Amino acid sequence: MKEIHKLRHWDCELRRAFLGISEKEFKSIFKEIYNASRERDFTYEREGRYDVISLLPLPLVATPEQIRYLHKACLVIKNALSKLIDLYLEHPEVREILPLTEEEEIWIKDTWTKAHRKTRGIWSRLDFHFDIYHPDWKETITFFEDNSVAVGGNHYAPTAEELITKIVLPRLRKINNNIILEKNEDIRTLLCHEILHQAEALGRKGLNIAFAEDKTLTSGITEFPSLAEFYNKKFGKRCEMKTYMLDPRELYLKGDEIYYKNHEIDIIYRDFELAELFKMGKGNHLNAMKTAFKKNQVISSIAGEIDHKSCWEVLRDKRFAQVFKTLRDTGILHHIPWTKIIRDIRTDSPDGKNVELLNYIRKNKDSLILKPNRGYGGYGIVIGKDATEQRWDEMINRGCAEFGKWVAQEYRRVSTRTFPVINEYGDIVFEEYYTVYGLAGTPEGIGILGRASHKKIVNVAQKGGIVAVLRSKS
């Protein structure tokens, strides 16, 4: 009952405090948030135009118990996922569930070695939902998917927390001085520690870090320059670390070392998948990147390519129950929804019955969603409840025709919360938003990216907003 009281307390107290703010002050808060967001590159690029991402003014609050449990779940799931690349190489049935192109498979076989297991080498974000103020919040947790390459939110999450704690919280405390909230561990710092850990484990004497992305793209997250600037300012002198922003096509080999201009590079943090690298054409950069993968100088490592949504099918597969024993013993497997590559097989249903998969998917439209197996940005997702029978059948047929490219996943409800906003008429109103989260964690701590949208599919790429998730002290 004590925990339930705390949850209700924060939900109510923050709203009461907001309602105590004058209309003039409220509009001033929105203006300050917008201007600060623009100054801090809190933006998303769309066809060459930089749009300021909407940052909702009312934060959400997680309790210490929630943080501890999410941290535990994050580490257990990440440990399980780290085993997938070896399973992929050893078991044909896993390769069927986690299909790669011939070229991708060649790179994995050429570059992955047993030595790679000694270091973490993966930076990922687990996308999940939970009803943060629900009395049985633990039962509402669902991890939708893993993202282990081109991870968004490293700059957005800490920036959102900084802006809300600087602009909004002081005003709320004037109304209620018991509103004392803390920021999460800074995702940028957690990532930096992973980079330093990787360099140390490899015995790298220097600390020249390359943030590599395709500079020709005109749409997507705009975090890399801000991250590079943050690292150079905060860690540059302290760690004698230099961070470079570059395009992978600017990399080349000198002997067995990777270079950018005349700088020897120690670790590459990449914002591209192998498929995107191959599209950049032939050149010296391919040899440089392949060497970097083989020497384990890339974060995320080549194992990051195994981040299909169908990873969940492998984790839940009873044939590998012993491999993922911790996932089952801790009960965390309960948070991973039933997920299957769309194909003509007999398999288990969500309730454990042996079923003909295609027939099951057709008959259980309202309890399922269909997703691109390796897509991102929320594009291509079909929610069964909201689809016509014709559309649903078309997507199942497409999944069969494009083997390995589509999954069916158990539908679990995404909760909503109301947030204060200024509508098109300049009035202050509370509007309902769907809310989901991204979890980036290491043994040192976790950072949380909160996202909110009027749409059921919540994603910044589809013009969703961001909500700061802060921590209570008790």
Side-chain angles (χ1 to χ4, degrees):
M1 289 300 294
K2 190 175 181 181
E3 175 73 7
I4 294 173
H5 173 72
K6 289 175 185 176
L7 294 169
R8 289 174 178 164
H9 164 79
W10 285 115
D11 191 24
C12 296
E13 292 303 300
L14 287 173
R15 291 173 189 282
R16 287 197 191 103
F18 258 98
L19 292 172
I21 296 174
S22 70
E23 182 176 339
K24 181 180 179 181
E25 185 76 357
F26 191 88
K27 291 181 178 180
S28 175
I29 288 173
F30 265 88
K31 187 175 181 180
E32 284 185 49
I33 288 175
Y34 178 84
N35 290 336
S37 296
R38 186 174 54 190
E39 291 171 7
R40 295 289 303 277
D41 295 321
F42 197 75
T43 55
Y44 193 93
E45 186 179 6
R46 294 182 175 88
E47 300 299 331
R49 188 186 71 188
Y50 290 82
D51 295 336
V52 174
I53 298 170
S54 173
L55 174 58
L56 298 175
L58 181 69
L60 296 173
V61 181
T63 66
E65 182 183 348
Q66 289 174 327
I67 294 296
R68 285 191 296 269
Y69 186 80
L70 290 173
H71 191 192
K72 174 185 174 182
C74 179
L75 296 183
V76 169
I77 294 173
K78 287 185 68 173
N79 180 60
L81 291 168
S82 71
K83 300 174 182 179
L84 290 178
I85 189 165
D86 288 320
L87 290 177
Y88 175 90
L89 292 170
E90 294 167 11
H91 298 277
E93 58 268 39
V94 173
R95 291 196 289 277
E96 179 182 335
I97 299 170
L98 303 171
L100 294 170
T101 66
E102 183 179 352
E103 193 170 12
E104 289 170 328
E105 187 169 330
I106 289 170
W107 270 56
I108 285 179
K109 289 179 177 178
D110 286 350
T111 62
W112 180 256
T113 69
K114 291 182 180 179
H116 286 66
R117 302 171 190 164
K118 297 177 183 178
T119 55
R120 295 187 283 243
I122 294 284
W123 181 253
S124 64
R125 188 192 73 222
L126 290 168
D127 285 348
F128 74 108
H129 163 264
F130 80 129
D131 195 339
I132 195 167
Y133 296 136
H134 195 284
D136 294 320
W137 57 267
K138 200 176 290 186
E139 293 302 309
T140 71
I141 296 174
T142 297
F143 287 95
F144 301 124
E145 61 188 67
D146 176 47
N147 300 272
S148 55
V149 180
V151 176
N154 299 322
H155 166 66
Y156 298 145
T159 301
E161 294 173 20
E162 288 169 9
L163 296 182
I164 294 302
T165 54
K166 180 181 177 181
I167 296 171
V168 178
L169 289 191
R171 269 116 159 177
L172 298 183
R173 291 202 66 195
K174 287 180 181 179
I175 297 168
N176 182 347
N177 61 13
N178 291 317
I179 296 177
I180 301 174
L181 302 172
E182 299 176 331
K183 293 180 286 187
N184 294 289
E185 278 91 1
D186 193 316
I187 294 180
R188 298 167 298 190
T189 301
L190 292 177
L191 172 56
C192 186
H193 288 171
E194 288 296 284
I195 291 171
L196 297 176
H197 170 85
Q198 191 81 353
E200 182 181 4
L202 298 176
R204 301 299 302 182
K205 296 179 181 179
L207 277 177
N208 283 339
I209 313 302
F211 274 68
E213 67 174 354
D214 183 350
K215 291 184 177 180
T216 66
L217 297 180
T218 58
S219 295
I221 59 176
T222 61
E223 298 183 296
F224 258 38
S226 298
L227 284 172
E229 182 182 1
F230 176 82
Y231 287 148
N232 283 328
K233 284 184 178 179
K234 184 168 183 177
F235 299 104
K237 292 182 180 179
R238 189 192 312 173
C239 303
E240 296 185 358
M241 182 175 85
K242 180 65 178 175
T243 304
Y244 299 96
M245 261 290 303
L246 55 88
D247 188 292
R249 283 162 287 210
E250 297 177 277
L251 295 169
Y252 64 94
L253 281 176
K254 186 185 290 186
D256 198 33
E257 292 294 338
I258 296 95
Y259 274 77
Y260 162 66
K261 296 185 176 177
N262 292 319
H263 309 292
E264 184 178 321
I265 297 299
D266 297 285
I267 298 291
I268 299 168
Y269 179 76
R270 61 172 173 140
D271 188 33
F272 52 85
E273 297 176 333
L274 281 185
E276 294 167 319
L277 178 66
F278 299 152
K279 289 178 182 177
M280 295 179 198
K282 304 294 183 182
N284 293 330
H285 64 286
L286 287 179
N287 291 330
M289 282 303 306
K290 197 165 191 177
T291 299
F293 277 121
K294 194 164 188 175
K295 294 173 69 177
N296 210 14
Q297 289 177 241
V298 184
I299 296 178
S300 286
S301 73
I302 201 79
E305 299 301 314
I306 314 289
D307 72 343
H308 307 47
K309 295 175 183 67
S310 55
C311 286
W312 284 183
E313 180 172 351
V314 182
L315 297 192
R316 291 176 59 100
D317 195 317
K318 293 178 181 177
R319 292 174 294 182
F320 305 107
Q322 279 302 114
V323 178
F324 305 118
K325 189 173 184 297
T326 303
L327 198 61
R328 295 173 182 273
D329 290 348
T330 56
I332 290 170
L333 188 65
H334 172 70
H335 303 310
I336 294 177
W338 178 90
T339 306
K340 297 286 180 181
I341 287 272
I342 297 176
R343 61 202 190 277
D344 188 8
I345 59 165
R346 291 198 69 86
T347 187
D348 59 300
S349 65
D351 58 5
K353 295 179 182 177
N354 185 265
V355 297
E356 196 281 312
L357 181 60
L358 296 180
N359 189 47
Y360 179 84
I361 296 172
R362 290 185 199 281
K363 288 184 175 180
N364 292 273
K365 179 174 78 72
D366 289 353
S367 62
L368 298 171
I369 60 176
L370 304 181
K371 297 179 174 182
N373 193 18
R374 302 181 70 182
Y376 54 88
Y379 296 107
I381 296 175
V382 179
I383 299 173
K385 282 174 173 281
D386 302 333
T388 64
E389 293 284 353
Q390 182 180 351
R391 170 70 168 154
W392 191 249
D393 285 342
E394 287 173 355
M395 293 307 300
I396 294 171
N397 293 336
R398 181 176 178 182
C400 291
E402 300 175 0
F403 180 79
K405 293 187 177 181
W406 293 87
V407 300
Q409 189 173 84
E410 178 186 357
Y411 175 78
R412 296 188 183 178
R413 188 181 68 87
V414 174
S415 64
T416 59
R417 304 229 65 82
T418 56
F419 293 89
V421 297
I422 297 176
N423 67 16
E424 58 185 313
Y425 305 108
D427 298 323
I428 300 166
V429 296
F430 275 82
E431 292 186 354
E432 193 171 41
Y433 285 79
Y434 293 94
T435 53
V436 298
Y437 308 86
L439 200 59
T442 72
E444 295 173 314
I446 56 170
I448 304 177
L449 172 69
R451 292 176 292 177
S453 175
H454 292 301
K455 302 176 182 178
K456 287 183 180 179
I457 299 169
V458 185
N459 203 289
V460 173
Q462 298 197 42
K463 300 189 176 181
I466 287 177
V467 54
V469 182
L470 302 176
R471 300 183 182 185
S472 64
K473 289 190 174 182
S474 60

